[in-house]
Amino acid sequence: EVQLVESGGGLVQPGGSLRLSCAASGFTFSSHWMSWVRQAPGKGLEWVANIKQDGGEKYYVDSVKGRFTISRDNAKNSQYLQMNSLRAEDTAVYYCTGVWWRYWGQGTLVTVSS
Amino acid sequence: QAVVTQEPSLTVSPGGTVTLTCGSSTGAVTSGHYPYWFQQKPGQAPRTLIYDTSNKHSWTPARFSGSLLGGKAALTLSGAQPEDEAEYYCLLSYSGAYVFGTGTKVTVL
């Protein structure tokens, strides 16, 4: 059974940092692009970032460029999202997704507030 | 980055047919945008229905189909069921980056 389990969300003050993790199982993690998608409360889906199988290519939505960094560790079947300089507008449920959007985690809530 | 536009809301009668569309601010949507369609119900993660314009996953009900229509990607629901009431999002690829559509709330009434 495929599982994507996110962790690391929580409450953080504006300007702070958080690191999200996504643990994958049930498929060959190292063979697939992985992504992060977020959804602000009551709003639509927003693609955040993608990372290639070997980590050699990464893409970001304009609003997080220079602040967020996507990475992966194929030995640990995990991907990460390092989020710095957080803003109120980054408040959202963050989903880990992979295998061309086939599999999704249940999401982890990030709240940026003072 | 591009803006991807969907109808805000659509209503369909049980057993009826409805078509959702997905347009791009950069011009016509083509197969090169690899259109995806997702269904999301309240409190749940999204679920992929259609990939690469018209391909279905094993779990995609046969009443859903995807196509290109008039320069847009389209999702057609034929024979709507009460359980199809949900938010639907398209997703387009732009050379490595992706943009979700604004979402369509489908009501079965």
Side-chain angles (χ1 to χ4, degrees):
Chain A
E1 179 193 5
V2 171
Q3 281 197 312
L4 295 173
V5 180
E6 303 96 338
S7 60
L11 175 63
V12 62
Q13 292 188 341
S17 298
L18 274 180
R19 188 194 195 211
L20 305 184
S21 299
C22 171
S25 60
F27 66 99
T28 308
F29 179 80
S30 60
S31 296
H32 297 282
W33 284 76
M34 295 296 294
S35 304
W36 288 95
V37 171
R38 67 184 179 183
Q39 187 168 36
K43 302 297 184 182
L45 300 172
E46 181 179 41
W47 167 76
V48 175
N50 276 2
I51 185 168
K52 194 178 179 181
Q53 291 91 324
D54 62 358
E57 288 183 48
K58 305 174 184 180
Y59 299 90
Y60 300 90
V61 67
D62 285 348
S63 59
V64 309
K65 284 179 181 175
R67 300 188 300 122
F68 290 12
T69 302
I70 189 171
S71 62
R72 64 191 295 162
D73 185 337
N74 288 340
K76 295 183 177 179
N77 288 341
S78 295
Q79 71 158 342
Y80 309 97
L81 188 67
Q82 178 67 44
M83 304 186 295
N84 298 331
S85 303
L86 283 161
R87 306 166 180 168
E89 54 264 36
D90 296 318
T91 294
V93 173
Y94 285 72
Y95 293 103
C96 168
T97 175
V99 193
W100 299 116
W101 322 98
R102 184 183 181 97
Y103 304 123
W104 292 72
Q106 283 306 300
T108 186
L109 177 62
V110 171
T111 303
V112 184
S113 175
S114 55
Chain B
Q1 282 169 325
V3 176
V4 177
T5 305
Q6 299 179 239
E7 299 85 2
S9 63
L10 292 169
T11 300
V12 59
S13 300
T17 297
V18 65
T19 297
L20 290 63
T21 67
C22 173
S24 172
S25 63
T26 62
V29 176
T30 70
S31 58
H33 289 97
Y34 305 101
Y36 280 72
W37 288 94
F38 301 86
Q39 178 191 64
Q40 188 180 33
K41 296 183 178 180
Q44 296 183 13
R47 179 176 75 146
T48 314
L49 294 176
I50 300 290
Y51 64 97
D52 293 352
T53 305
S54 59
N55 294 290
K56 300 180 187 182
H57 286 296
S58 58
W59 58 79
T60 305
R63 59 186 179 272
F64 289 96
S65 62
S67 64
L68 294 176
L69 195 64
K72 297 182 179 182
L75 176 70
T76 299
L77 170 56
S78 303
Q81 300 297 309
E83 61 265 31
D84 299 328
E85 188 160 295
E87 193 82 23
Y88 292 82
Y89 295 92
C90 65
L91 175 71
L92 301 180
S93 170
Y94 295 89
S95 301
Y98 289 84
V99 181
F100 279 96
T102 49
T104 297
K105 170 63 177 173
V106 171
T107 301
V108 181
L109 190 61

